[in-house]
Amino acid sequence: MRSRLYPVFKYTVIALWACFVAGPFLWAMTTSFKNANAVQGGPTYVPWAQYEPTLTGWRNIFGGAGGVDVIEPFVNSAVVTVAASAISLALGSLAAYALSRYRFKLGFIKNGDIVFFFVSQRIMPPVVLVIPFFYLLQWGGLLDTIAGLVIVTVALLLPIAVWVMVDFFNGIPREIDEMAMLDGCPPFRTFVRAILPNSLPGLTVAAMFCAVFGWNDFFFAFRLTFTEVQTLPQAVVALNSSIPPWWTLSAAALFGVAPLVLLALWVERLLSKGNLSGAVR
Amino acid sequence: MDGLRRHKSMFLLPGLLTLFLIIIFPLLFTIRVSFSGWNVSNPQLDFIGGANYTAMLHDGRFWASITRLVLLAGGTVLIQYLIGFGMALLVWREVRGRRFWRVLFLVPMMTTPVVMAAIWQTIFHESLGPANDLLEVLGLTGIPWLTESGPALVALMTVEVWQWTPFMFLLLLAGLLSLPKEPFMAAAIDGAGTWRTFRKVTFPLMAPVSVAAVVIRLIEASKLSDSVYVLTSGGPGSSTETPGYYLYIQGLRDQQTGYSGAMSLTYLVLMIVTLTVVAALLTRAFKLKGDS
């Protein structure tokens, strides 16, 4: 049925899309090894043949003159992402376990409505939240601090954690809980000893989503931290001025997205095991 | 039994309380702000009635940004769905270097939107960027990508498609991989061709995942503002402003706090209504049960 031309068609399409996907990264890679001369001369792509590569951009992001220090923003981003993800996963999986195992009824509100209430937070445009957050953090003395940014990032991540984990817990057989309970295990210990160890795939997926959203947040960090705490997206955007220090910008950008690209490699492995298919349902 | 009841609340309460503090409080605060004349020169929570809402009704720039968002989000999500589904179908079955393609296709979704938007800005540079270079290689003339409204919208959509098609791809591929085998065998026995199998088997089976993916993407796309900020700053003029970006301009940059509160809430309500209707229509169109 399939013509002999089908493979040609298939690989052509895949290759074209691959070029489109990889293009910006290759462009950033070549640009990061340029200097003012190489950039002002117009677009070039092949180092040595078309331009002389230099390390100016990469030196600039590691404290070189006229550059920007990315180490501190990197550490800030990492601390905020890890802390907010951990809190969201802890609170989220507890809540998700309750929603998956017990039946709640508050008037007309049932389990599904509570899950929806969590998830509906994702509909909220950040701008609705950011002004109240500003005053909440100011009132708590947490404006422009890591702790403050962690708290607001939890607001972004908690719904994702609940959403992924409810689905996942629903797929874990109840017999596991019942056996632990029969052995005299109180509910909390059942959760920690019997359920969590069986939930690593789900927790991994939830952690992955949390890490991506936490690391990529710009808006909250931009409005709620200023001089004391700068995250990596802030540092990169600050470089994005009209006179192009493109080499520094590109180096900083590649440095900033590298952790998530490494995460993508690992996520693909999860995907091929089929673990994600349960989590997106 | 009483112990169990206490426990179940203990599990749920921490998360629920956190959510209340970070959602309900800001929402109530914004409602209150929207009825105040709070601005840069008068940071007061005075009550001025519905004046902000009246002003909003006459604010053409706000409504234009909403119309633009509907077109932008609708258009890009549709393109993302078509490409994402197409690529998922191509990579689903036998393909050489499958893992390599999958990793490559996933990467844009994982990268920071504002950071990649900054790279895209250099790509779209009129004389120094590769976008126009490519056009010239193809024998076309360069386009002033970011300084004219039409091309600027195309640039914005290109970045969105680049960034979020992988999300569609990921969800749809996961959906394809978890499909049961029997319907395909049955179709093969019936002698159904590729197109017919797709239309009668694959697509209907994929409808729940498709609807979920499209709705999730619409929700995220409706908040579009970060890449606008980096790529075009809403310009030229206000021709690429989205509500998210216009609200940022009004509320945070110009500190028309009360006014932006009123617009934020209106925008939120419009979004919830639109998304509910879209979700319901899609669900009905594909005859899905209420649970997806």
Side-chain angles (χ1 to χ4, degrees):
Chain A
M1 181 61 214
R2 283 183 173 175
S3 75
R4 261 189 297 159
L5 280 177
Y6 178 73
V8 178
F9 165 79
K10 179 164 78 175
Y11 287 104
T12 310
V13 173
I14 291 178
L16 280 177
W17 182 253
C19 290
F20 178 59
V21 166
F25 294 109
L26 296 179
W27 169 249
M29 190 63 85
T30 54
T31 309
S32 73
F33 292 110
K34 290 181 182 177
N35 57 20
N37 283 336
V39 166
Q40 299 295 347
T44 46
Y45 313 97
V46 188
W48 287 289
Q50 291 181 309
Y51 69 94
E52 200 58 44
T54 67
L55 281 173
T56 322
W58 290 94
R59 260 193 226 113
N60 284 351
I61 66 167
F62 294 111
V68 59
D69 176 29
V70 292
I71 300 297
E72 204 186 307
F74 185 92
V75 172
N76 288 339
S77 272
V79 170
V80 169
T81 304
V82 170
S85 302
I87 296 174
S88 305
L89 281 180
L91 294 176
S93 51
L94 271 177
Y97 179 67
L99 289 167
S100 151
R101 289 302 193 263
Y102 304 122
R103 193 163 293 163
F104 290 90
K105 222 174 167 190
L106 306 156
F108 62 92
I109 301 170
K110 290 188 192 129
N111 286 33
D113 302 313
I114 303 176
V115 176
F116 180 77
F117 176 61
F118 272 102
V119 178
S120 66
Q121 189 275 9
R122 295 297 311 167
I123 298 178
M124 204 81 89
V127 82
V128 178
L129 298 171
V130 80
I131 293 170
F133 279 170
F134 187 95
Y135 290 95
L136 198 62
L137 292 185
Q138 197 176 44
W139 171 76
L142 290 171
L143 207 56
D144 203 9
T145 63
I146 297 263
L149 197 52
V150 169
I151 292 173
V152 297
T153 308
V154 168
L156 288 181
L157 305 186
L158 184 60
I160 303 169
V162 172
W163 180 56
V164 174
M165 293 316 289
V166 167
D167 258 359
F168 192 81
F169 288 142
N170 281 339
I172 293 186
R174 270 140 218 264
E175 284 77 22
I176 294 182
D177 310 50
E178 281 161 14
M179 283 207 296
M181 297 269 200
L182 280 179
D183 287 347
C185 221
F188 187 72
R189 208 188 302 160
T190 303
F191 174 67
V192 174
R193 290 278 170 79
I195 301 299
L196 279 188
N198 287 308
S199 309
L200 274 180
L203 285 172
T204 314
V205 172
M208 187 272 293
F209 276 120
C210 287
V212 172
F213 278 97
W215 186 267
N216 288 350
D217 166 63
F218 168 69
F219 194 76
F220 282 144
F222 180 49
R223 301 318 308 179
L224 300 172
T225 65
F226 316 100
T227 50
E228 295 296 316
V229 181
Q230 209 186 22
T231 62
L232 203 55
Q234 278 177 288
V236 175
V237 171
L239 275 171
N240 185 31
S241 58
S242 52
I243 305 157
W246 285 1
W247 44 96
T248 313
L249 173 73
S250 300
L254 290 172
F255 183 74
V257 300
L260 294 182
V261 173
L262 295 176
L263 194 62
L265 291 170
W266 178 62
V267 167
E268 199 281 333
R269 190 168 297 169
L270 286 180
L271 180 71
S272 54
K273 283 184 196 155
N275 284 331
L276 276 176
S277 55
V280 297
R281 275 292 163 94
Chain B
M1 204 60 217
D2 204 41
L4 197 63
R5 180 164 297 171
R6 203 186 40 158
H7 265 101
K8 77 176 192 185
S9 316
M10 296 302 282
F11 278 114
L12 185 60
L13 274 182
L16 212 50
L17 285 179
T18 314
L19 192 68
F20 262 102
L21 185 68
I22 56 193
I23 302 303
I24 301 300
F25 161 74
L27 202 56
L28 293 176
F29 187 83
T30 305
I31 293 174
R32 179 66 193 86
V33 165
S34 76
F35 289 102
S36 77
W38 188 345
N39 62 32
V40 62
S41 55
N42 177 36
Q44 300 280 328
L45 261 182
D46 50 349
F47 185 79
I48 59 161
N52 286 328
Y53 289 91
T54 323
M56 180 191 74
L57 288 176
H58 302 286
D59 189 346
R61 199 169 153 190
F62 176 63
W63 297 108
S65 76
I66 297 229
T67 320
R68 189 173 303 119
L69 178 74
V70 171
L71 295 174
L72 268 179
T76 48
V77 170
L78 181 67
I79 297 171
Q80 287 162 10
Y81 176 70
L82 293 177
I83 299 178
F85 204 175
M87 298 315 288
L89 285 170
L90 285 181
V91 181
W92 176 29
R93 292 279 167 76
E94 69 298 339
V95 104
R96 269 166 210 270
R98 172 192 266 186
R99 288 198 57 183
F100 173 76
W101 300 121
R102 278 208 212 143
V103 172
L104 185 65
F105 290 176
L106 289 189
V107 161
M109 180 183 78
M110 312 286 280
T111 59
T112 318
V114 281
V115 169
M116 290 320 288
I119 294 297
W120 276 99
Q121 201 192 25
T122 71
I123 290 175
F124 284 123
H125 191 282
E126 211 174 324
S127 54
L128 304 179
N132 277 348
D133 196 39
L134 182 67
L135 288 182
E136 274 156 31
V137 168
L138 297 173
L140 303 164
T141 47
I143 293 171
W145 287 105
L146 300 173
T147 48
E148 263 181 34
S149 54
L153 285 171
V154 173
L156 200 56
M157 289 176 79
T158 308
V159 178
E160 278 289 293
V161 167
W162 179 84
Q163 182 120 44
W164 293 113
T165 302
F167 178 84
M168 291 285 192
F169 172 75
L170 172 70
L171 253 66
L172 294 166
L173 182 62
L176 283 173
L177 289 172
S178 64
L179 288 185
K181 297 228 165 31
E182 293 79 15
F184 293 96
M185 291 184 197
I189 290 166
D190 290 348
T194 315
W195 171 241
R196 211 176 142 76
T197 310
F198 174 77
R199 213 164 46 105
K200 295 285 180 190
V201 182
T202 321
F203 188 73
L205 284 175
M206 286 296 287
V209 182
S210 297
V211 172
V214 166
V215 171
I216 294 172
R217 265 314 301 152
L218 280 177
I219 291 174
E220 299 294 325
S222 65
K223 293 186 280 197
L224 181 67
S225 65
D226 284 9
S227 47
V228 179
Y229 173 80
V230 175
L231 213 57
T232 64
S233 304
S238 61
S239 61
T240 53
E241 272 179 3
T242 56
Y245 184 75
Y246 184 52
L247 286 168
Y248 152 73
I249 294 276
Q250 287 285 331
L252 296 159
R253 201 195 63 188
D254 299 346
Q255 295 183 35
Q256 304 294 323
T257 313
Y259 185 49
S260 99
M263 288 196 298
S264 306
L265 289 173
T266 311
Y267 163 52
L268 180 61
V269 170
L270 283 176
M271 249 173 66
I272 292 172
V273 171
T274 313
L275 290 169
T276 313
V277 170
V278 169
L281 285 179
L282 286 176
T283 307
R284 183 176 297 176
F286 295 108
K287 299 185 189 73
L288 304 175
K289 294 206 180 87
D291 59 1
S292 53

